[in-house]
């Protein structure tokens, strides 16, 4: 699905982005179903369903798994970021962020 997004972009269709460039971007993405595989990331962005309990449970796990200087981020659009951060020991490295999907075609 990510590859199709790149390949359907105007940059790709116009020739500004090549198949090799798409492959380079795809090679930067890694996949895992194991939380411990992200222990060394610089930022961890959560994007699960909008449920305070579920998000708190995940952030408590991420707080234990991720290196101490990892920024933890929530993609919530409705829940209280301060409340979510309380389950971690890194409230100073906890942020809220929200992404449009796909950003390149969403109108603001």
């Amino acid at each position: 699905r990510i590859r199709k997004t790149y390949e359907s972009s105007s940059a790709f269709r116009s020739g500004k982005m090549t198949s090799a460039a798409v492959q380079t971007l795809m090679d930067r993405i890694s996949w895992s179903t194991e939380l411990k595989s992200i222990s060394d990331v610089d930022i961890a962005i959560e994007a699960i369903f909008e449920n305070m309990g579920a998000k708190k449970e995940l952030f408590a796990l991420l707080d234990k798994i991720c290196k101490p200087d990892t920024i933890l981020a929530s993609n919530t659009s409705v829940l209280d970021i301060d409340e979510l951060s309380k389950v971690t020991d890194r409230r100073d490295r906890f942020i809220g962020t929200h992404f449009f999907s796909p950003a390149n075609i969403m109108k603001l």
Side-chain angles (χ1 to χ4, degrees):
R1 198 169 144 177
I2 295 170
R3 180 182 298 279
K4 286 182 182 180
T5 299
Y6 285 130
E7 291 174 345
S8 66
S9 71
S10 60
F12 185 82
R13 289 192 317 268
S14 70
K16 292 178 183 175
M17 180 185 285
T18 65
S19 293
V22 170
Q23 188 58 51
T24 297
L25 293 169
M26 295 301 297
D27 290 344
R28 293 179 182 169
I29 300 170
S30 60
W31 311 94
S32 177
T33 58
E34 299 293 325
L35 280 178
K36 61 185 168 191
S37 69
I38 66 166
S39 64
D40 198 38
V41 299
D42 295 323
I43 184 168
I45 304 169
E46 159 279 316
I48 65 173
F49 56 95
E50 296 289 318
N51 177 282
M52 183 65 82
K55 287 182 185 276
K56 282 183 168 183
E57 183 178 332
L58 177 59
F59 281 119
L61 285 170
L62 291 173
D63 191 49
K64 290 176 177 60
I65 293 168
C66 294
K67 62 186 181 180
D69 61 338
T70 297
I71 296 169
L72 298 182
S74 178
N75 189 45
T76 186
S77 56
V78 297
L79 299 177
D80 185 339
I81 294 299
D82 288 330
E83 183 65 26
L84 288 171
S85 73
K86 289 178 182 177
V87 299
T88 74
D89 290 327
R90 59 181 91 203
R91 294 186 71 189
D92 60 328
R93 301 190 65 74
F94 195 102
I95 63 172
T97 186
H98 192 72
F99 297 93
F100 292 99
S101 178
N104 61 322
I105 62 171
M106 296 293 294
K107 293 185 179 182
L108 296 177

